[in-house]
Amino acid sequence: MAGTGIRTRFAPSPTGPLHLGHAYAAAVAHHLARAAGGEFLLRIEDIDHSRARRAWEDWLGLHWDGAVMRQSDRAPAYRAALQQLWDNGLLYPCTCNRRDIEAAASAPQEGVPHFGPDGLIYPGTCRHKPRPAAMPMDLPLRLDMERAAIATCFVEQDRHVYTSVQDYITGVGDIILSRRGMGTSYHLSVVVDDAEQEITLVTRGADLFDATAIHVLLQHLLDLPTPAYHHHDLIRDESGKRLAKRDDARAIAAYRAEGATPAQVFAMIGITPSAA
Ligand code: GLU
Ligand code: ZN
């Protein structure tokens, strides 16, 4: 490991064309690692095989260290992490569909439906059903947030929105950690992979600020180290709208096809070639 031991990563999800927002995220991670004499790693977050497109990997002229990690190769590691949580009584299978959840969450006794980082907070319908002895892999698995938050007695004073056990229970709720047919979720895989790649500084968009609180909780539950987190601004278009994956107009591939160099692509988002 080089220099200071700082390790950052660029972890794009190849669900659409690489756009300027990706370029910015990559540049931040790359720059912070290089400026500190550390390492910059690449991880392709292609857990959703159905949408992954390898052709998307059109690089930006940045050089990364070591082997590329692909989430599609990591199913056994995710399964082991789920098993650890299951063995500690922290997961339960959920058979609700979206309509069931919406109906239960808007039942009169529940008051107004609450939203957390993953959308509508799960009303807990399946939480109290008898749990099978062996972990079922054919059903979505949810984190029992009450047990999880109490198990860690986790209070993060300075850095995160959710600062108490109660905030995790009511503000995040029983999130899905394993999706049907996928064997993992974004939250679980990112935590397992950051630990495996020994990432010490996670740089990510400010849109993931609330998700970071979930990741820190999962690190405690799985006995994994917590890296430092830096949340950066999002790249927006002229009207202030966040660039979306579907915004093909701003796809880097299009700029490159028109002859733009990587340095010119970075210049569009205010990054000079030396910083990139
Ligand atoms: N793969 C995620 C994305 O492209 C970001 C990774 C992370 O910072 O956790 O939005
Ligand atoms: Zn359910």
Side-chain angles (χ1 to χ4, degrees):
M1 192 184 290
T4 56
I6 284 189
R7 282 162 80 95
T8 67
R9 85 307 197 265
F10 174 46
S13 306
T15 50
L18 190 69
H19 60 62
L20 292 180
H22 292 106
Y24 186 69
V28 168
H30 179 265
H31 176 71
L32 289 175
R34 294 290 178 249
E39 290 180 293
F40 168 67
L41 284 77
L42 176 63
R43 181 168 75 233
I44 306 297
E45 302 219 313
D46 57 349
I47 43 171
D48 188 352
H49 305 251
S50 57
R51 291 190 299 168
R53 284 197 257 153
R54 287 201 175 200
W56 167 91
E57 294 166 30
D58 169 13
W59 296 108
L60 292 164
L62 297 180
H63 297 286
W64 56 87
D65 300 301
V68 178
M69 177 176 278
R70 277 178 206 283
Q71 291 194 328
S72 52
D73 296 334
R74 302 267 302 142
Y78 306 142
R79 203 196 148 101
L82 287 169
Q83 191 68 53
Q84 187 180 340
L85 297 173
W86 177 270
D87 291 345
N88 288 326
L90 298 170
L91 300 180
Y92 63 87
C94 176
T95 53
C96 302
N97 61 32
R98 173 166 277 280
R99 229 174 310 125
D100 296 333
I101 296 172
E102 282 166 4
S106 53
Q109 71 275 14
E110 297 288 337
V112 233
H114 293 287
F115 290 86
D118 276 6
L120 195 60
I121 300 223
Y122 180 63
T125 319
C126 295
R127 188 188 305 136
H128 303 294
K129 293 182 182 165
R131 300 184 189 181
M135 180 169 75
M137 283 310 294
D138 52 340
L139 289 173
L141 299 174
R142 289 186 180 274
L143 181 66
D144 184 329
M145 189 55 90
E146 186 167 346
R147 288 195 197 174
I150 290 168
T152 57
C153 283
F154 173 72
V155 181
E156 186 81 0
Q157 297 289 1
D158 305 321
R159 281 185 299 166
H160 302 298
V161 180
Y162 303 102
T163 55
S164 73
V165 166
Q166 199 54 43
D167 285 345
Y168 273 100
I169 296 168
T170 55
V172 181
D174 295 355
I175 49 169
I176 288 193
L177 290 190
S178 179
R179 296 189 177 278
R180 198 192 298 267
M182 232 189 282
T184 186
S185 70
Y186 161 66
H187 298 306
L188 186 84
S189 48
V190 81
V191 159
V192 169
D193 291 344
D194 281 335
E196 178 66 24
Q197 290 190 299
E198 298 180 31
I199 301 302
T200 64
L201 172 62
V202 172
T203 62
R204 56 165 52 144
D207 56 326
L208 289 173
F209 185 80
D210 290 348
T212 295
I214 296 173
H215 302 168
V216 174
L217 178 85
L218 289 175
Q219 286 148 4
H220 284 250
L221 294 173
L222 292 166
D223 301 314
L224 298 174
T226 291
Y229 285 91
H230 167 78
H231 298 92
H232 59 72
D233 286 347
L234 300 173
I235 298 291
R236 295 173 190 279
D237 66 15
E238 300 74 21
S239 65
K241 191 169 68 65
R242 242 187 95 183
L243 293 189
K245 292 183 171 137
R246 272 161 254 97
D247 258 341
D248 281 32
R250 285 181 178 71
I252 290 165
Y255 292 123
R256 297 294 303 277
E258 287 161 12
T261 63
Q264 285 167 334
V265 172
F266 281 116
M268 291 174 201
I269 48 172
I271 293 172
T272 57
S274 63

